[in-house]
Amino acid sequence: MIDCTTDFSKIRIILVHPTHPGNIGAAARAMKTMGFSQLYLVQPRLFPHPDATARAAGADDVLTHAVITNTLDEALGDCSLVIGTSARIRALTIPLLNPRQCAIQVLAEAKTTEIAFVFGQESSGLSNAELHRCHYHLYIPTEVNFSSMNLAAAVQLVIYEIRMATLLREEILPTPPQQDSLATSQQMQDFYCHLEQTLIAINFLAPSNKRQMMLRMQRLFNRTRLETTELNIWRGILTAIQRKISEDIC
Amino acid sequence: MIDCTTDFSKIRIILVHPTHPGNIGAAARAMKTMGFSQLYLVQPRLFPHPDATARAAGADDVLTHAVITNTLDEALGDCSLVIGTSARIRALTIPLLNPRQCAIQVLAEAKTTEIAFVFGQESSGLSNAELHRCHYHLYIPTEVNFSSMNLAAAVQLVIYEIRMATLLREEILPTPPQQDSLATSQQMQDFYCHLEQTLIAINFLAPSNKRQMMLRMQRLFNRTRLETTELNIWRGILTAIQRKISEDIC
């Protein structure tokens, strides 16, 4: 037999608003066959459910330990690499990876970084806003005329690639240099709030018309992947702007 | 979008005695997303069946054209490369391939040879006799303690690998759509000047001690690679800060 001692405990699979409990079970089964265990469910329509248990076919422990959250933000928590899966290419793009490229990227960080894979609802996929929470857009190269993959099948493919990359690792992967810790998803959300307040305060942004601009900012900073020190510098800059403005007013 | 003109018409997927019609539908869907159409069913327990149609989710044509046979021999017909998928390693082995190796093997022959992939019954897999009809034993490297993959998920993985191998060979993997032009080096230098002035104006930066911080900023923005539109947004933000400060002073 093949002995695969893999540790994917820092990689979580997030299903956003899954509609069919059977797909949750099938995703859990897919995860367990590939050595993954961290399942997060954002407002599942029906869970727990007998269909989920049936389709899990023995991966009950993955279901039992699934974390259920109200928002994607909660599910992302302290992740600092977030990868969104979508079959639709958007107008305002974020860096695109195919599953193989993605596996290499993930593997380079899987020992030190909390990583999230985000999968959208069966019928509609990820919204633009959800996809812009992600650093990378993972694109499975399906047929153009029939790109509708089953949710659990997509999960299966993506994590299979990570598993394969792990098994092939010694040959294909350079070790990334030691770097400063990366900002977590929650830290970035707090930063965006701070940034938005400040942009409004300097009259750059109208509160009524801020959405598109803030999406652009997310896209830009997600591409950068701020280190914690850099994040702190930015928070300092924003605070300095706010202080300067109130100082000048007084 | 990606234009993948792939031709997998010489590759057939054979399901031997599938028990659950839902799995037949899910396999058909998996096939259609990956550009495959030749489905053979050896004595399916229930087919056609509403569960098959439901899980096919639009891949009805694959189901409609599925060839139903009484024996594996009939399904194999004129194939001269036969690959059997099994999670169990047998005492009397035949050459073992993982899905990636298998895809390379298949690709080398897919233009000239009729090729069959054989998948066993859900609960028991391929019998020894069935596996010995095959030239290769395809082994998906699952967890040792939980190797039970769903039938359609296994089909999905195997044909995905063939599709990937094809796309990589023909170099037609997705590239990001045309994006906004990137800022030039000179534009970035002007931006850093503007940024530095502003950081000094808000008292974030002391003129005597600015070098290290400005290096950090360059490092960050070089990593991002600003698009022209993004650069213009940042110039706008800096100008808004300067205007706000002078406004408040007056």
Side-chain angles (χ1 to χ4, degrees), chain A residues 33-54:
Chain A
T33 61
M34 296 291 122
F36 290 69
S37 59
Q38 309 296 313
L39 177 62
Y40 285 65
L41 305 170
V42 181
Q43 288 189 1
R45 195 166 69 90
L46 296 167
F47 186 81
H49 191 278
D51 286 356
T53 310

Side-chain angles (χ1 to χ4, degrees), chain A residues 54-66:
Chain A
R55 294 278 298 281
D60 302 63
D61 50 337
V62 178
L63 291 182
T64 307
H65 295 110

Side-chain angles (χ1 to χ4, degrees), chain A residues 123-241:
Chain A
S123 55
S124 51
L126 291 176
S127 69
N128 274 334
E130 286 159 351
L131 190 58
H132 274 88
R133 295 297 316 279
C134 303
H135 300 103
Y136 291 99
H137 173 172
L138 172 56
Y139 181 92
I140 299 174
T142 54
E143 281 288 301
V144 173
N145 300 327
F146 192 79
S147 62
S148 152
M149 285 188 76
N150 169 262
L151 173 58
V155 170
Q156 177 80 71
L157 268 196
V158 168
I159 60 182
Y160 158 78
E161 278 282 7
I162 297 169
R163 186 175 180 82
M164 276 302 275
T166 307
L167 300 180
L168 299 168
R169 171 163 44 192
E170 277 69 28
E171 292 167 31
I172 59 173
L173 273 183
T175 342
Q178 182 67 34
Q179 56 181 350
D180 193 6
S181 69
L182 295 171
T184 68
S185 203
Q186 186 56 54
Q187 288 171 329
M188 289 308 293
Q189 283 316 104
D190 295 344
F191 164 67
Y192 293 131
C193 279
H194 198 172
L195 179 62
E196 184 181 309
Q197 288 164 9
T198 311
L199 292 182
I200 290 172
I202 62 171
N203 305 326
F204 179 79
L205 208 55
S208 57
N209 197 16
K210 65 189 184 189
R211 226 175 130 251
Q212 195 59 25
M213 181 58 69
M214 291 313 296
L215 275 184
R216 270 200 167 272
M217 285 290 153
Q218 278 191 53
R219 171 171 173 266
L220 188 161
F221 280 105
N222 273 340
R223 227 161 60 216
T224 323
R225 304 190 64 197
L226 286 186
E227 294 170 5
T228 311
T229 312
E230 293 172 337
L231 178 76
N232 290 337
I233 291 170
W234 277 106
R235 293 298 290 258
I237 292 175
L238 296 178
T239 303
I241 295 171

Side-chain angles (χ1 to χ4, degrees), chain B:
Chain B
M1 289 299 271
I2 303 159
D3 184 20
C4 314
T5 43
T6 44
D7 177 16
F8 299 127
S9 61
K10 284 176 163 295
I11 302 177
R12 68 186 66 173
I13 305 298
I14 303 176
L15 307 184
V16 181
H17 305 312
T19 309
H20 301 293
N23 283 335
I24 301 174
R29 180 180 184 179
M31 289 171 63
K32 189 159 182 173
T33 60
M34 296 291 121
F36 290 70
S37 59
Q38 310 297 314
L39 177 61
Y40 285 65
L41 304 170
V42 180
Q43 287 190 3
R45 196 166 69 91
L46 296 165
F47 186 81
H49 191 277
D51 285 357
T53 309
R55 294 278 298 282
D60 302 61
D61 50 338
V62 177
L63 291 183
T64 307
H65 296 110
V67 178
I68 300 174
T69 69
N70 274 317
T71 64
L72 175 57
D73 276 341
E74 278 176 66
L76 289 175
D78 55 352
C79 290
S80 45
L81 174 58
V82 181
I83 296 163
T85 304
S86 173
R88 279 186 295 135
I89 306 284
R90 318 296 167 106
L92 199 61
T93 58
I94 61 173
L96 212 58
L97 295 175
N98 70 44
R100 192 144 312 161
Q101 296 166 324
C102 178
I104 293 167
Q105 181 74 37
V106 163
L107 217 61
E109 307 193 27
K111 282 210 169 131
T112 53
T113 309
E114 293 286 335
I115 300 172
F117 281 93
V118 188
F119 294 84
Q121 196 175 34
E122 289 93 334
S123 55
S124 51
L126 291 176
S127 70
N128 276 334
E130 285 160 351
L131 190 58
H132 276 87
R133 296 295 318 277
C134 304
H135 300 103
Y136 292 100
H137 173 173
L138 172 56
Y139 181 93
I140 299 175
T142 54
E143 281 288 301
V144 174
N145 299 327
F146 193 79
S147 61
S148 152
M149 284 188 76
N150 168 261
L151 173 58
V155 170
Q156 178 80 71
L157 270 196
V158 168
I159 59 181
Y160 159 78
E161 278 283 6
I162 298 170
R163 185 176 180 82
M164 276 301 277
T166 309
L167 299 180
L168 289 170
R169 186 185 58 182
E170 289 166 18
E171 294 179 337
I172 47 179
L173 271 170
T175 38
Q178 180 67 34
Q179 53 182 352
D180 196 5
S181 66
L182 295 172
T184 67
S185 201
Q186 185 56 55
Q187 287 171 328
M188 288 309 293
Q189 285 315 107
D190 296 345
F191 164 68
Y192 292 132
C193 278
H194 197 173
L195 179 64
E196 184 181 308
Q197 287 164 9
T198 312
L199 291 182
I200 291 172
I202 62 170
N203 305 325
F204 180 79
L205 209 56
S208 57
N209 196 16
K210 66 188 184 189
R211 223 174 134 255
Q212 196 58 27
M213 181 59 68
M214 291 315 295
L215 275 184
R216 268 200 167 271
M217 284 290 153
Q218 278 192 54
R219 172 171 172 269
L220 190 162
F221 281 103
N222 274 340
R223 228 163 56 218
T224 322
R225 307 191 62 196
L226 286 186
E227 296 170 4
T228 312
T229 312
E230 292 172 337
L231 178 77
N232 291 336
I233 290 170
W234 277 106
R235 294 297 291 259
I237 291 174
L238 297 176
T239 303
I241 295 171
Q242 292 174 322
R243 190 176 299 138
K244 180 76 181 169
I245 291 174
S246 61
E247 210 172 77
D248 290 339
I249 289 173
C250 304

